[in-house]
Every structure is written in C-alpha cells, then in structure tokens.
Amino acid sequence: MMASVPNDDTAWAAVLRRDRAFDGRFVTGVLTTGIYCRPSCAARHPLRENVRFYASGAEARATGLRACKRCMPDDVSRDEAAVLAAIDEIKQAEDAPSLTALADIAGYSPTHFQRVFKRATGLSPAAYARALREERARDALSAGESVTNAIYDAGYGSASRFYEDTKGRLGMTASAWRDGGAGVTIHWAVVKTSLGPMLVGATDKGVCRLSFNEDDSELARRFPKAELVEGGKDFERLLADVVASVEAPGDFAHIPLDVKGTAFQEACWKALRDIPAGETRTYADIAAAAGNPKAVRAAGSANARNNVAVLIPCHRVIRTGGDLGGYAYGLDIKRELLAREKN
Ligand SMILES: [Zn+2]
C-alpha cells in the first residue's frame, strides 16, 4: 500500500514542522549538499529554492543524490514494514509474542526493534499487546457481553490474568467500567488555587478527575454509581501533592492516575505526558506519537476526553502555526499553565 505523494506546498510545510507522519511518503533532496532526507530530519532546514521532492529514495538516488546519514531516509519503509508485521503477529498470537521473537521476524536486534516499535506506536511491543487485549475486552463489555466472556474472548487465559494485567493502569475493575463506577469510592475536594476553584477526585488507585470550576455534581454525572466521599486522610496527602504540581509546575509523573480509554486514547494520553514541560505539540504530533499519524481527529477527541487536566497535560497541545487553540476550562488557564511551565 503506497500513500500518494503530497504536492510541493504540503511537502514543504511538512518539512518545516518536521512532521513524522510524512516520513516514507516522500524524501527531500537538497541540490546544494547532494543529500536527501526524510521530511522529519532534525538537521537545519535548507533554503526552499535548493529543495526538490522525490517520491522515494530510489528516485532521489537516480538523480545522483545520497541518503542523509543523520535521518537515514531509506530505513523508513523497512521500519514501517517491521512494525506492521509485528502488530500482525501480536494480533494473531494467542499469547503475546516475546520481544526476541518479534525482533527476529524483522531481522533486528531486540533493543533496536523495541526502539523502532516504540517510535512508531508510542508503546513497547509488550505494552501494545496488553493494550490491545484490554481494548478488545472493553469493546466486548460495552457491547453487553458478560465480563467473563469478554475476558476470555479477548485472549486472556484467565480472569485473574486480566485483572493482573490491567492493575495499575486502569484502576477500575471491568465491572466498574461497565457500570458507572459501581463499587468504587471516589474521594474528592474542591480547592482554591491561583487558577480558580479546582476539583480533584481520586479512587484508591489514583486521580480520576482534575478540572476547574466544577463541583462534585460533575463526578456524580461521570461516575453515577460510585460512592462520593468528600475529603479523607489518604486523599488529603494526594491532594496536597496535586495542588503543588499545579501551583508550581514540576515533576508530576509520580502522581498515580486512574483513567480509562481505548488503547489509542491511552496512547495519546501517554504521549501528552511525554511532552517536556515548557514545550508544546500539535494534534498531528500526538497522533504520530500514539502510533497512528493519520488519526489527527481521534487525537483531538482523546484530548477532549481527558478527565485529568494538568496531570495529563492536554494544555500542551496547540494548533499548527502556533495559535493556542481551545481549552476545556478557558484559554486564560491554558495560557497561564504554559507560561508557568516555560519559566
Ligand atoms: Zn537528514
């Protein structure tokens, strides 16, 4: 399957923003240096007048250009093919294949293959296999299957393995996702911050809601069957930590989260957490980092479905071209969060 070559303006725009989604769709030849690059090459941009676009490395070589040693444009299709083959293998296998087995298929070393796979999908092969199984189980659950059937149909050998796999990532057990948080206790508080009143809700697994200008009625709407408890001793400690991260943005990777989404949404949320403080990305960047460069709209909707503002930093996504874009809690808060992180 070959995606079509974009027109020159689209291609040049992709080069200027170093868009990885275009890697493999064309190469950039630079007449003055005699080399060709992938669109995302990290090297300094050449002058537009010295650039020609080619559909493939072969076409560029035919005109006498050589491959860039920095971005290795000819490895793109080989990497892509290796990742697609591994995904196929993972989808079909009863048990998740080992990293070594997957690397062997591609003819790569395990370490190198892990890096290539992660760059393409945002996840290690093992995490990808887990996410895939969880997604299948969840799809089956929302289609109304029984929890046990859904778990077995998704390829888990036993229910206990399912719970073991999903523990720590998703917090709520399968029954709770299906049932509006039944059996789950959510501790909550509304605290004053310099950004306005902030709602924090957490299960015993981690923060499940962080928002501004909302109260517990929003929790009741999102988790209609959960038990809502204001305050709580363990919760107060977590709350203090959360407030500190909002007031003086620093490292909040250690704060546990209890969120659930599709495998792609969770990959997007992870990609958001990987953006260094003080930097911003576009939806296209997030889609690419989450493993599906074409799913730009889905990345936007994953952003909108984010339950935990700030800690899953959806405020770090702006429009291509630098416009701030939108924010669920108003642009003033987004602007302020970004300003704090820049310092
Ligand atoms: Zn290059």
Side-chain angles (χ1 to χ4, degrees), residues 110-123:
T111 335
H112 181 62
F113 180 70
Q114 170 110 337
R115 204 174 315 128
V116 167
F117 192 92
K118 207 164 168 184
R119 192 169 57 209
T121 67
L123 299 169

Side-chain angles (χ1 to χ4, degrees), residues 99-324:
L99 176 61
T100 317
L102 293 173
D104 273 355
I105 297 171
Y108 288 179
S109 77
T111 335
H112 181 62
F113 180 70
Q114 170 110 337
R115 204 174 315 128
V116 167
F117 192 92
K118 207 164 168 184
R119 192 169 57 209
T121 67
L123 299 169
S124 70
Y128 186 94
R130 269 201 303 280
L132 182 72
R133 287 198 299 188
E134 285 165 18
E135 187 173 3
R136 282 178 179 164
R138 226 171 300 148
D139 283 352
L141 282 171
S142 53
E145 257 190 79
S146 78
V147 170
T148 320
N149 279 344
I151 287 171
Y152 285 105
D153 290 352
Y156 288 92
S158 71
S160 65
R161 247 182 75 195
F162 170 75
Y163 291 115
E164 224 164 80
D165 262 17
T166 54
K167 207 168 62 188
R169 284 196 60 223
L170 298 153
M172 294 186 190
T173 59
S175 303
W177 311 330
R178 211 185 149 181
D179 211 11
V184 174
T185 302
I186 297 176
H187 290 269
W188 67 275
V190 173
V191 286
K192 273 194 198 148
T193 72
S194 56
L195 298 171
M198 180 172 80
L199 170 70
V200 180
T203 68
D204 60 351
K205 305 290 196 310
V207 178
C208 62
R209 180 85 186 153
L210 192 161
S211 59
F212 296 93
N213 300 308
E214 283 182 359
D215 58 24
D216 57 317
S217 64
E218 188 56 33
L219 288 176
R221 197 178 70 75
R222 282 166 193 269
F223 309 100
K225 295 198 180 154
E227 191 193 352
L228 302 181
V229 177
E230 189 172 6
K233 207 168 132 226
D234 289 341
F235 174 72
E236 296 296 338
R237 265 197 297 269
L238 179 66
L239 181 65
D241 214 357
V242 171
V243 172
S245 320
V246 172
E247 294 295 359
D251 175 27
F252 47 70
H254 65 284
I255 298 178
L257 303 181
D258 186 351
V259 292
K260 58 187 188 318
T262 63
F264 182 72
Q265 285 168 345
E266 289 183 7
C268 286
W269 297 338
K270 198 190 159 296
L272 291 172
R273 277 169 70 90
D274 288 342
I275 306 171
E279 292 185 21
T280 53
R281 298 287 186 274
T282 63
Y283 287 129
D285 295 331
I286 298 301
N292 191 349
K294 293 199 180 108
V296 178
R297 269 167 170 286
S301 103
N303 225 43
R305 294 279 299 272
N306 174 20
N307 256 328
V308 184
V310 186
L311 303 182
I312 298 177
C314 54
H315 61 275
R316 292 178 192 158
V317 178
I318 62 171
R319 292 220 179 99
T320 310
D323 184 281
L324 268 195

